[in-house]
Amino acid sequence: MQDYHDFLAEVLIDEPTLQARITELAQQIDRDYEGKKVLLVCILRGALPILVDLMRHLTVPTAIDCMAISSYGVGARESTGQVRMTLDLQTNISELDVILVEDIVDSGRTIGQVMDLLKTRKPKSLKVCTLLDKASRREVQIPIDYRGFLIENKFVFGYGLDIDEYYRNLPFIGVVDLNKYKPGL
Ligand code: PRP
């Protein structure tokens, strides 16, 4: 397995900056949901780190659930346009205040389809929180209520974002130098 230092072009967002912004997002959510309770929905798998760090800073009563959606083909670097649900929620979200939590919104297809599906289940409210927003790539216009960082169209990894399923564990967001990354090594 290649060491990430071999193909790291730059650290785009370092750990202290990530954590400080996530703390701010939690404070914003706390203010907006004062007197209410909230259900955070983690869109597996990339949103795991932000969900965990976000929830630890929230003071409003918080429940969590997970769903899994696949939008990229195995090994693919770009959205294929194919979105399928591979794991559904356990929670009945009818009459609940729900926040969908994502690591990144790119074309917007994934979160758009998730929203379309979940709206049919009549939540009291449905909002979107994403750590990263590649707005320049958007094909499906969706409202983003809580955005960590607006980023350029670079191939990023770490803090939930994978390269061929690995490196999600890194505590920062890095940019891949595709000339140096060797798949399979
Ligand atoms: C990534 C990411 C979003 C989606 C964004 O998920 O976590 O869900 O792609 O792309 P879009 O806005 O173009 O739809 P992926 O399918 O790679 O799964 P993962 O979270 O398990 O990495």
Side-chain angles (χ1 to χ4, degrees):
M1 199 77 207
Q2 254 183 311
D3 187 301
Y4 71 84
H5 291 98
D6 295 345
F7 53 79
L8 177 68
E10 61 170 315
V11 173
L12 189 66
I13 309 169
D14 64 19
E15 185 175 4
T17 308
L18 271 180
Q19 293 301 328
R21 183 69 186 125
I22 291 166
T23 304
E24 286 176 355
L25 291 176
Q27 290 167 344
Q28 204 181 335
I29 292 170
D30 267 346
R31 284 195 297 273
D32 292 352
Y33 289 80
E34 193 180 348
K36 300 177 182 173
K37 56 186 183 177
V38 67
L39 174 71
L40 299 182
V41 170
C42 179
I43 313 290
L44 295 172
R45 283 161 283 184
L48 278 166
I50 183 182
L51 182 108
V52 170
D53 285 338
L54 186 70
M55 67 184 279
R56 291 191 303 154
H57 291 292
L58 289 174
T59 61
V60 290
T62 301
I64 59 169
D65 203 344
C66 297
M67 62 191 296
I69 296 288
S70 184
S71 66
Y72 290 8
V74 176
R77 298 275 144 69
E78 300 213 340
S79 181
T80 57
Q82 303 295 316
V83 174
R84 64 193 174 96
M85 188 193 300
T86 52
L87 177 74
D88 202 349
L89 298 173
Q90 300 291 304
T91 311
N92 177 358
I93 63 167
S94 163
E95 295 307 312
L96 294 185
D97 289 306
V98 177
I99 302 177
L100 300 176
V101 181
E102 266 288 23
D103 52 338
I104 187 165
V105 177
D106 190 324
S107 71
R109 286 199 199 105
T110 304
I111 202 76
Q113 294 201 22
V114 170
M115 289 187 83
D116 287 347
L117 171 69
L118 295 189
K119 277 177 190 165
T120 67
R121 300 178 184 180
K122 307 282 185 231
K124 192 191 295 175
S125 66
L126 185 61
K127 290 191 176 182
V128 174
C129 174
T130 185
L131 180 67
L132 305 177
D133 181 3
K134 267 191 192 176
S136 64
R137 298 250 310 160
R138 200 73 88 251
E139 295 170 19
V140 177
Q141 296 308 319
I142 42 121
I144 297 194
D145 303 282
Y146 305 100
R147 174 196 347 247
F149 303 88
L150 185 64
I151 64 165
E152 291 174 26
N153 185 22
K154 294 179 176 174
F155 184 11
V156 286
F157 73 108
Y159 199 75
L161 293 121
D162 70 302
I163 313 172
D164 298 335
E165 291 304 327
Y166 286 87
Y167 310 104
R168 294 186 196 267
N169 54 302
L170 298 174
F172 59 86
I173 302 287
V175 177
V176 182
D177 182 340
L178 286 172
N179 293 318
K180 295 184 178 166
Y181 174 67
K182 308 291 179 209
L185 282 188

